[in-house]
């Protein structure tokens, strides 16, 4: 059953969300993804402190959504792939000021930096 499930699942090469991410790959220095496998398949670096975020880091207090936001403000990744959910006011402000929602698929939303939309050659 597991093998059948794997064989019938969508291949990353056919994933429309991954295609949207790779459209801006050449202008993307950093990407933050709550599902890091997308950044891996797109061959886009993830800020080192955000590359591996386990539940244990949240439970131990080493990581929080506020800390993630601080790191995003520091690194200013050109692309963000987040789970669709309500964000707090500080997150909403950060997203609205700096990013454009470009794609939604299943429970994932892709934000691309406004600077890429204004000037696609910015790196």
């Amino acid at each position: 059953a597991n093998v059948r499930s794997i064989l019938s699942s969508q291949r990353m090469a056919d994933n429309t969300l991954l295609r949207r991410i790779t459209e801006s790959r050449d202008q993307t220095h950093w990407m933050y993804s709550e599902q890091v496998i997308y950044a891996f398949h797109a061959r886009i670096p993830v800020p080192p402190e955000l590359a591996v975020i386990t539940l244990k880091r949240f439970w131990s207090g080493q990581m929080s959504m506020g800390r993630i936001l601080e790191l995003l403000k520091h690194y200013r990744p050109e692309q963000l792939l987040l789970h669709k959910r309500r964000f707090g006011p500080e997150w909403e402000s950060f997203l609205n000021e700096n990013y454009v929602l470009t794609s939604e698929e299943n429970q994932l939303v892709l934000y691309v930096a406004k600077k890429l939309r204004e000037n696609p050659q910015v790196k």
Side-chain angles (χ1 to χ4, degrees):
N2 288 338
V3 171
R4 250 182 280 133
S5 173
I6 291 169
L7 291 174
S8 66
S9 65
Q10 183 184 35
R11 296 176 184 266
M12 287 306 281
D14 300 329
N15 187 295
T16 55
L17 191 54
L18 182 59
R19 266 189 260 135
R20 293 296 305 259
I21 292 167
T22 57
E23 287 173 4
S24 301
R25 176 178 45 214
D26 292 341
Q27 294 83 30
T28 302
H29 184 256
W30 295 110
M31 176 182 182
Y32 171 66
S33 176
E34 291 179 335
Q35 291 191 6
V36 182
I37 194 70
Y38 281 89
F40 172 79
H41 281 289
R43 296 186 317 269
I44 300 173
V46 175
E49 298 93 335
L50 298 172
V52 179
I53 300 179
T54 62
L55 287 176
K56 184 177 180 182
R57 288 183 69 192
F58 279 97
W59 293 332
S60 69
Q62 293 176 345
M63 187 58 69
S64 67
M65 291 305 289
R67 178 69 179 137
I68 291 172
L69 183 58
E70 286 175 20
L71 291 166
L72 293 178
K73 288 178 179 180
H74 173 75
Y75 283 97
R76 297 284 184 182
E78 289 81 9
Q79 296 191 57
L80 304 174
L81 183 62
L82 306 171
H83 287 100
K84 187 187 286 188
R85 64 175 174 277
R86 289 193 178 274
F87 294 96
E90 193 173 359
W91 270 86
E92 291 290 340
S93 174
F94 174 72
L95 292 172
N96 290 333
E97 288 174 20
N98 302 292
Y99 295 90
V100 176
L101 177 65
T102 61
S103 188
E104 292 185 49
E105 188 173 308
N106 298 323
Q107 291 299 310
L108 298 174
V109 290
L110 177 64
Y111 291 91
V112 174
K114 287 182 179 179
K115 66 182 179 182
L116 289 187
R117 292 292 176 228
E118 295 164 1
N119 183 2
Q121 301 305 315
V122 172
K123 189 162 187 179

